[in-house]
């Protein structure tokens, strides 16, 4: 329903953004919930952004990333990247979450599937642009990026890593 703008007044009245956030705990409907949030954010950024930047909402977004299974990780990364692209405030708040940054670092280091690694690096790059100081403090993330830039044989991974290194 969030995909249909004419339903939004009813959805606002029922505080559906909060409901969509709560649904992120369910891996079966996580992608659909994130898609609805992205769509709504595209159309009504200030309203949705204010809700997403609340501490509880940031915690939910961070937890959904941390707890994502391999089966739904790629879709979650695509949607989460769209959210951060559309809201630098959300990116800045996520960058303040140590567990989010640690999991981001861990996944960049341990996922060798090219599509997932590229999405992780893009998310890292966008979050870094939102909050450069917060990522500079995460030494583990920096060392993982340096190692990738030197050792990964895939050009796109090396280039994205290089972009991040230049920003550090």
């Amino acid at each position: 329903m969030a995909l249909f703008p004419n339903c939004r007044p009813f959805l606002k009245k029922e505080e559906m953004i909060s409901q969509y956030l709560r649904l992120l705990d369910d891996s079966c409907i996580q992608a659909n919930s994130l898609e609805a949030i992205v769509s709504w954010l595209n159309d009504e950024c200030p309203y949705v952004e204010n809700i997403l930047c609340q501490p509880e909402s940031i915690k939910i977004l961070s937890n959904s990333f941390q707890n994502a299974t391999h089966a739904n990780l790629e879709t979650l990364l695509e949607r989460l990247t769209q959210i951060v692209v559309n809201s630098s405030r959300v990116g800045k708040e996520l960058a303040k979450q140590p567990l989010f940054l640690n999991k981001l670092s861990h996944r960049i280091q341990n996922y060798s599937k090219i599509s997932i690694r590229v999405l992780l690096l893009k998310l890292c790059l966008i979050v870094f642009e939102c909050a450069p100081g917060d990522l500079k403090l995460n030494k583990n993330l920096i060392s993982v990026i340096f190692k990738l830039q030197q050792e990964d044989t895939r050009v796109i991974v090396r280039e994205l890593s290089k972009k991040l290194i230049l920003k550090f």
Side-chain angles (χ1 to χ4, degrees), residues 116-129:
I116 291 178
R117 188 168 271 174
V118 166
L119 285 168
L120 287 163
L121 288 168
K122 284 182 178 179
L123 178 61
C124 186
L125 187 61
I126 295 164
V127 168
F128 181 84
E129 289 173 354

Side-chain angles (χ1 to χ4, degrees), residues 12-154:
K12 280 182 182 178
K13 180 181 171 196
E14 299 300 320
E15 299 180 359
M16 284 305 295
I17 290 289
S18 297
Q19 297 299 328
Y20 287 131
L21 286 165
R22 281 191 271 286
L23 292 172
L24 294 179
D25 286 338
D26 185 339
S27 62
C28 295
I29 55 176
Q30 187 178 59
N32 292 336
S33 297
L34 278 171
E35 184 178 349
I37 292 169
V38 168
S39 175
W40 204 340
L41 180 64
N42 286 336
D43 293 341
E44 296 185 50
C45 189
Y47 170 75
V48 176
E49 185 178 56
N50 284 336
I51 295 168
L52 293 180
C53 287
Q54 293 173 3
E56 184 61 30
S57 298
I58 292 297
K59 183 177 178 184
I60 291 170
L61 287 171
S62 179
N63 286 343
S64 68
F65 172 71
Q66 291 171 50
N67 300 326
T69 63
H70 183 72
N72 67 356
L73 182 60
E74 194 165 349
T75 303
L76 180 133
L77 285 168
E78 289 168 353
R79 302 296 189 278
L80 191 56
T81 299
Q82 290 173 319
I83 289 172
V84 176
V85 163
N86 291 321
S87 172
S88 61
R89 283 180 54 207
V90 172
K92 190 172 187 173
E93 293 301 319
L94 283 172
K96 294 177 185 176
Q97 304 297 310
L99 293 176
F100 173 80
L101 296 178
N102 290 339
K103 192 64 168 188
L104 181 61
S105 174
H106 173 77
R107 287 200 161 141
I108 289 171
Q109 184 174 16
N110 294 307
Y111 273 85
S112 60
K113 184 179 176 187
I114 186 71
S115 59
I116 291 178
R117 188 168 271 174
V118 166
L119 285 168
L120 287 163
L121 288 168
K122 284 182 178 179
L123 178 61
C124 186
L125 187 61
I126 295 164
V127 168
F128 181 84
E129 289 173 354
C130 297
D134 292 309
L135 289 186
K136 284 181 182 178
L137 298 176
N138 193 306
K139 302 297 183 199
N140 186 44
L141 182 58
I142 294 170
S143 68
V144 167
I145 302 293
F146 271 103
K147 186 175 179 183
L148 271 184
Q149 201 272 328
Q150 294 170 351
E151 297 177 6
D152 200 296
T153 59
R154 296 164 295 200

